[in-house]
Amino acid sequence: MRKLWIAGLVLAILGLLLYSISGTQPTKTLGEAYLAKLRETRRQKDQTLHNAADSPIPGAQRATFAGLRYFAPVADFRVTASIKRLPVLLPQPLAMSLGAPESYQRWGTAEFELNGKPQKLTLLQKAGDKQLFVPFTDPTNGEQTYGAGRYIDVPLPPAEANEVELDFNQAYNPYCAYNHDYSCPLPLAENRLTVPVVAGEQAFQL
């Protein structure tokens, strides 16, 4: 037991030495519990899209539906962002892919870094929701991911919080990515990320 403890201490010291020499932080990793939960969430979504009566995938296409495609989970796309709340929620109509705009509220902003580059997103809330809605676009749209952008949902932070986690591994497509008969909110122009977000759900293919 003592030998294991000493070995662990030596590894920790080596890690600190490497950090001081290179000036870079150790590579972040995702724990197995997180990965298992993510896999199960994705499995359940595939099952729902395949079997649910209200699935957005047209009935004639469900027989060939083999599941959604995702990027491999990456720890660097799970970021802690500093948040700035608005003192008063402001109305923010969102343009829809079909029909009239839909009512949302501006909740605040989140500032963070991706690949060392500063980013900023406007956080929205729909009246009565207990979560924040974060629609965004990035350079992968129209190639690796859905052309109109993707979404992430964030639990509503406690009143005293000044940070929030944004997990782009959980980025998902709107229903109109599967079926153009659906009308979906379009991301605000200001919610354009400059770094390709190779995380979360990819473009839909049967």
Side-chain angles (χ1 to χ4, degrees), residues 173-191:
N173 288 335
Y175 273 10
C176 51
Y178 317 129
N179 188 331
H180 294 314
D181 290 340
Y182 281 80
S183 185
C184 304
L186 300 176
L188 297 168
E190 65 208 60
N191 274 13

Side-chain angles (χ1 to χ4, degrees), residues 13-203:
I13 292 171
L14 285 173
L16 289 172
L17 287 172
L18 286 172
Y19 171 69
S20 64
I21 293 170
S22 65
T24 58
Q25 295 182 356
T27 303
K28 293 191 294 184
T29 59
L30 295 169
E32 182 51 40
Y34 169 89
L35 293 172
K37 184 177 180 181
L38 188 64
R39 287 193 295 268
E40 178 60 17
T41 298
R42 292 175 174 180
R43 186 196 68 79
Q44 290 180 4
K45 184 171 183 178
D46 281 346
Q47 187 176 46
T48 299
L49 290 174
H50 193 277
N51 297 324
D54 59 351
S55 169
I57 297 178
Q61 298 177 351
R62 289 184 208 170
T64 57
F65 174 65
L68 300 175
R69 301 183 308 133
Y70 295 92
F71 294 103
V74 178
D76 287 341
F77 284 107
R78 189 184 185 195
V79 301
T80 299
S82 62
I83 53 177
K84 294 181 180 177
R85 307 164 189 260
L86 291 174
V88 178
L89 296 178
L90 300 176
Q92 177 59 68
L94 273 190
M96 303 291 286
S97 56
L98 298 172
E102 195 167 276
S103 296
Y104 284 82
Q105 297 170 315
R106 280 180 175 258
W107 186 90
T109 58
E111 297 184 16
F112 55 99
E113 288 190 355
L114 286 178
N115 291 349
K117 297 181 179 179
Q119 310 291 323
K120 184 177 180 179
L121 288 172
T122 294
L123 308 175
L124 304 174
Q125 186 182 18
K126 201 161 191 178
D129 279 1
K130 299 299 182 183
Q131 63 183 12
L132 301 177
F133 178 57
V134 192
F136 70 95
T137 58
D138 73 274
T140 68
N141 299 149
E143 297 180 7
Q144 297 158 290
T145 63
Y146 181 56
R150 292 178 291 168
Y151 309 151
I152 55 175
D153 297 323
V154 180
L156 195 63
E160 68 278 7
N162 55 22
E163 292 182 334
V164 71
E165 181 182 270
L166 301 179
D167 188 356
F168 293 96
N169 295 298
Q170 300 196 45
Y172 64 95
N173 288 335
Y175 273 10
C176 51
Y178 317 129
N179 188 331
H180 294 314
D181 290 340
Y182 281 80
S183 185
C184 304
L186 300 176
L188 297 168
E190 65 208 60
N191 274 13
R192 174 77 177 175
L193 300 176
T194 61
V195 173
V197 179
V198 285
E201 191 175 339
Q202 296 186 29

